[in-house]
Amino acid sequence: MKELWRATRWPLSALAVAGLLFVVAVVLDARPPGTAHELSLTIGAPALLLAVLALLWLLGALAVHWRKLR
């Protein structure tokens, strides 16, 4: 179990950061139109890209971990 945590801790951390940024973007988007709305787009787009990359990284880490077990 410890090896699984070692294999997935960084991808899970990146996914958590992406989730936090996504929540910040949603909160900013709920404000009236203006600077906050533009900032939400500026934060939200990279957050979604980071989430996709973190998911791919996590799947790769799980595949490598599973491969080492066999």
Side-chain angles (χ1 to χ4, degrees):
M1 189 70 172
K2 191 174 183 180
E3 295 83 19
L4 179 61
W5 172 245
R6 283 187 177 175
T8 60
R9 65 181 167 188
W10 292 113
L12 287 173
S13 298
L15 196 57
V17 168
L20 179 66
L21 288 174
F22 184 72
V23 168
V24 168
V26 168
V27 168
L28 286 174
D29 193 43
R31 295 185 156 279
T35 306
H37 180 72
E38 295 298 323
L39 190 57
S40 74
L41 295 173
T42 304
I43 293 172
L48 289 175
L49 178 63
L50 179 61
V52 169
L53 292 175
L55 282 173
L56 290 174
W57 186 12
L58 180 61
L59 288 174
L62 287 172
V64 168
H65 176 72
W66 180 73
R67 191 101 163 117
K68 284 183 181 178
L69 290 178
R70 297 190 116 224

